[in-house]
Amino acid sequence: MARETIRKTEAATKHSNMADYAVEVGRFSWADVRAGLAGLPGGKLNIAHEAIDRHVEAGNGDELALRWIAKNGTRTDFTYKDLRRATARFANVLRRLGVARGDRVYSLLGRVPELYITVLGTLKAGSVFSPMFSAFGPEPVKARMEIGGASALVTSKLLYKRKVAPIRQALPNLKCVLLIDGDGQAGEDGLWDLQLLMQAAGDEFETEPMDEEDMALLHFTSGTTGKPKGAVHVHGAVFAHKATGRIALDMKPGDVYWCTADPGWVTGTSYGVIAPLTNGVTMIVDQAEFDAERWYSILEDEKVTVWYTAPTAIRMLMKAGADLVKGRDLSSLRFMASVGEPLNPEAVVWGNEVFGMPFHDNWWQTETGGIMIANYASMDVKPGSMGKPLPGIIAAIVKRTNGDAQEITDPMAIGELALKPGWPSMMRAYLGEEERYRKCFVGDWYISGDLAMRDQDGYFWFVGRADDLIKSAGHLIGPFEVESALMEHPAAAEVGVIGLPDETAGEIVKAYVALKPGFEASEELNLELLGHARKRLGPAVAPKEIVFRTNLPKTRSGKIMRRLLKARELGLPEGDISTLESDEQ
Ligand code: ATP
Ligand code: MG
């Protein structure tokens, strides 16, 4: 997949937060990051304090913290001072309702201001925050609240009626439900009108002093490979949120930062709330769903400087065409990054052509709590590579041998992507699944479940999830490689590749392709794509079969669910599909 390396010019990197990767790796220490935080008396800390109050105390309270864009385009602004007051009120509301330190507060909300106030107000009160996608149905909502033992839920009347009321009986711990659009409820059936409570509450609150190891967040994984796991994160994770925001996303005070992820999954919380606010930037939140024109308008009108998005969105922008960018002034944009799925080299190159800078792919997981491997502002980008480990993070390619895991150092050898445990935002448990948690650790390593390679320059390359690797006629084939080759074809908008059992080859490669507008599924196009793949990959690796789909099944966080393509193909049970989003075949 050799694509030309995108070299960084001196002008592009001169003002970046990390001028030289090797130098930073040499001098980085978590103790320095810790020392850079405000903390609370007695060696305590609180994520909410680092995110909001410290800025107010430092005299920056009038800076814009959050600009919320409603579906109808109306803008609402919150300064750091505004957020301090609103989150204090929310924390007082929790106290009044008897929601204590350590209790679990869930949200089931779209991207509305109350969601952001809930995240930070909950942390301020020392309670644990757990987000859910507003699009979840009653069953996923129930499962998540059961696992975490939800005490309180913040939602809307409509979402409550549709998704919570039907399963409320099964949640005896849930003592209060706060409705953001309530009509005067005052505790009947545990329902409360949040606005009324907020008005009655004081706007001063003494932030709960927490220990680094105190639980702060409960994040469920995306459910791409199976039933979602509840990863426990602690207040000390804020060290990593802040440092990675600075180093991997190059955030600086004065930046206008837009993370397009929904706080229903970890990216929307770690990098859609905590990292930007701890770094003192202005964050943009758009209530609406993806729309190419709207997104370009936001980038232009808000003068976004740092933009963090995901491969699915980038592919949709590519599908919408570069013409939409013509005539727009996107000169404020300085840094673009992507996470969540492998980013096809094609998308990196496209970004470079259209925006004059590449998308910087980075890799992490719900379990890691923060970015672990990244392409940096000052580092040359090899399209298709995830980049290099963050300073302070040790990543390796390992092979398991008799209950141990050994690092393999041969360039481009495929193995399991592993991390040396001990960074601050590492999960502390899979709630209620101790055995599953223990299995993640082998020898000295945390095993990610992904397969990757490292090249001679230290760049990491994603191969596939361990479950998705295809073994065909003696070859190990990562779906990403095949998908990326097909994505080079002008007709391909989206590609998912799986292996199917085959008597002679062991497995054969099958590809599902969604087409760009203007292309019709036909036998001819099918042959052309097969031919293109064969030319790019050779006959052993190229798909044997290609089928066209309007859409591929994806999780709510936008990940292609290859296991579902496979289950459907083989007529097997679909397994847990609680996070399934688009399902049009
Ligand atoms: P589950 O664990 O429930 O199956 P999931 O692994 O998709 O779901 P997340 O924690 O949201 O849940 O996603 C992390 C995974 O996403 C990684 O392990 C990896 O497979 C994939 N991923 C994230 N970023 C990248 C990237 N830059 N390149 C390739 N894969 C990525
Ligand atoms: Mg996972």
Side-chain angles (χ1 to χ4, degrees):
M1 208 94 343
R3 283 288 194 158
E4 225 170 282
T5 300
I6 299 172
R7 304 266 171 217
K8 294 295 178 61
T9 60
E10 206 190 311
T13 61
K14 200 163 66 184
H15 300 295
S16 70
N17 286 335
M18 177 172 67
D20 187 302
Y21 176 74
V23 170
E24 184 81 16
V25 168
R27 70 166 175 221
F28 182 91
S29 87
W30 287 113
D32 286 347
V33 177
R34 185 178 278 120
L37 292 183
L40 290 170
K44 308 284 182 179
L45 84 171
N46 189 304
I47 295 176
H49 184 74
E50 303 303 328
I52 312 170
D53 294 41
R54 77 163 300 185
H55 300 300
V56 180
E57 285 165 17
N60 298 320
D62 292 325
E63 299 287 326
L64 191 57
L66 163 66
R67 166 163 291 177
W68 178 67
I69 307 173
K71 278 185 191 156
N72 66 9
T74 314
R75 267 81 173 146
T76 311
D77 287 348
F78 297 82
T79 63
Y80 279 89
K81 253 187 208 160
D82 294 335
L83 279 189
R84 177 193 173 123
R85 278 193 290 264
T87 54
R89 284 184 195 277
F90 186 85
N92 280 318
V93 166
L94 291 183
R95 284 288 177 276
R96 167 172 169 197
L97 298 177
V99 178
R101 190 181 157 118
D103 284 355
R104 316 285 157 79
V105 177
Y106 280 65
S107 65
L108 181 67
L109 288 170
R111 288 182 296 279
V112 291
E114 288 85 351
L115 172 56
Y116 297 82
I117 291 162
T118 299
V119 181
L120 294 157
T122 298
L123 294 171
K124 211 169 220 190
S127 303
V128 173
F129 174 71
S130 186
M132 296 185 288
F133 279 103
S134 59
F136 279 159
E139 276 311 310
V141 166
K142 174 169 153 250
R144 282 161 182 73
M145 291 210 282
E146 262 177 347
I147 291 173
S151 292
L153 169 70
V154 184
T155 187
S156 69
K157 276 191 304 193
L158 187 66
L159 291 170
Y160 179 77
K161 188 167 145 224
R162 288 205 187 140
K163 288 130 188 251
V164 187
I167 46 107
R168 180 77 191 276
Q169 292 307 319
L171 301 166
N173 276 339
L174 184 62
K175 49 181 176 207
C176 43
V177 176
L178 306 172
L179 301 170
I180 62 165
D181 53 355
D183 12 54
Q185 292 88 343
E188 314 85 76
D189 297 328
L191 295 175
W192 295 88
D193 179 331
L194 178 62
Q195 301 314 331
L196 278 187
L197 290 173
M198 292 281 277
Q199 281 156 21
D203 63 4
E204 287 292 331
F205 183 87
E206 193 173 328
T207 302
E208 195 68 27
M210 308 302 286
D211 286 319
E212 283 175 24
E213 285 302 308
D214 283 333
M215 182 169 169
L217 301 157
L218 174 63
H219 277 302
F220 287 85
T221 60
S222 292
T224 316
T225 56
K227 187 168 166 276
K229 299 145 272 190
V232 170
H233 290 285
V234 297
H235 274 270
V238 69
F239 303 144
H241 296 143
K242 185 168 183 189
T244 54
R246 184 176 69 80
I247 299 171
L249 300 179
D250 203 39
M251 287 177 195
K252 296 188 225 308
D255 265 328
V256 178
Y257 165 81
W258 185 25
C259 170
T260 62
D262 189 285
W265 69 298
V266 70
T267 302
T269 309
S270 291
Y271 295 97
V273 184
I274 302 172
L277 295 181
T278 50
N279 280 290
V281 309
T282 296
M283 56 185 212
I284 302 292
V285 170
D286 182 23
Q287 183 186 21
E289 293 309 315
F290 176 86
D291 176 85
E293 290 239 25
R294 183 176 170 109
W295 277 33
Y296 288 128
S297 295
I298 291 176
L299 289 172
E300 183 176 24
D301 298 345
E302 301 307 328
K303 302 189 168 42
V304 171
T305 55
V306 178
W307 181 29
Y308 194 22
T309 188
T312 306
I314 297 169
R315 288 192 291 258
M316 288 197 283
L317 291 174
M318 290 166 75
K319 188 170 161 187
D323 279 355
L324 290 180
V325 189
K326 293 211 177 99
R328 289 192 183 268
D329 176 7
L330 301 181
S331 57
S332 299
L333 204 52
R334 185 184 85 238
F335 189 77
M336 315 195 298
S338 164
V339 72
E341 274 211 306
L343 184 63
N344 314 98
E346 203 55 28
V348 180
V349 172
W350 181 82
N352 205 32
E353 278 163 12
V354 173
F355 300 96
M357 69 194 89
F359 284 102
H360 294 75
D361 186 22
N362 56 54
W363 176 93
W364 58 291
Q365 311 178 295
T366 308
E367 289 87 341
T368 70
I371 301 172
M372 296 285 110
I373 297 178
N375 286 288
Y376 308 95
S378 59
M379 195 172 83
D380 292 344
V381 171
K382 299 191 187 189
S385 161
M386 311 189 282
K388 296 187 186 183
L390 264 284
I393 299 297
I394 298 169
I397 305 297
V398 305
K399 268 219 154 57
R400 299 187 202 215
T401 40
N402 309 324
D404 200 3
Q406 296 298 334
E407 182 166 358
I408 30 178
T409 49
D410 315 343
M412 296 315 253
I414 297 179
E416 299 201 68
L417 177 55
L419 301 161
K420 201 45 91 54
W423 69 94
S425 64
M426 172 72 193
M427 68 161 166
R428 300 301 197 269
Y430 282 141
L431 205 62
E433 295 189 89
E434 212 176 306
E435 182 58 26
R436 211 168 174 191
Y437 174 74
R438 248 198 324 263
K439 278 199 183 136
C440 298
F441 299 89
V442 181
D444 294 338
W445 298 97
Y446 161 73
I447 309 282
S448 68
D450 289 340
L451 299 174
M453 310 179 285
R454 182 174 41 198
D455 70 16
Q456 67 286 355
D457 301 324
Y459 283 73
F460 282 72
W461 298 77
F462 184 79
V463 172
R465 292 168 182 268
D467 297 351
D468 292 339
L469 194 73
I470 303 163
K471 297 181 190 82
S472 186
H475 294 270
L476 286 182
I477 302 168
F480 177 46
E481 186 185 9
V482 182
E483 289 163 7
S484 291
L486 285 167
M487 280 295 290
E488 289 170 10
H489 192 281
E494 203 166 56
V495 185
V497 163
I498 59 168
L500 293 175
D502 179 78
E503 265 178 29
T504 37
E507 279 186 300
I508 54 158
V509 179
K510 175 162 181 171
Y512 298 76
V513 177
L515 296 174
K516 282 192 188 144
F519 290 91
E520 286 292 323
S522 69
E523 188 63 20
E524 210 184 338
L525 182 57
N526 199 308
L527 287 173
E528 194 180 310
L529 281 164
L530 283 169
H532 167 83
R534 214 162 287 159
K535 208 161 74 206
R536 291 288 291 105
L537 301 164
V541 176
K544 296 282 175 291
E545 193 190 342
I546 291 177
V547 288
F548 295 116
R549 290 280 188 268
T550 316
N551 255 317
L552 301 181
K554 285 189 222 76
T555 65
R556 299 235 159 259
S557 45
K559 296 160 193 268
I560 296 171
M561 289 173 102
R562 295 176 190 79
R563 70 166 160 106
L564 202 54
L565 289 171
K566 191 161 177 170
R568 287 175 177 170
E569 187 70 49
L570 300 174
L572 297 171
E574 294 194 341
D576 185 296
I577 49 165
S578 59
T579 63
L580 179 65
E581 188 190 46
S582 77
D583 196 24
E584 190 189 330
Q585 292 188 51

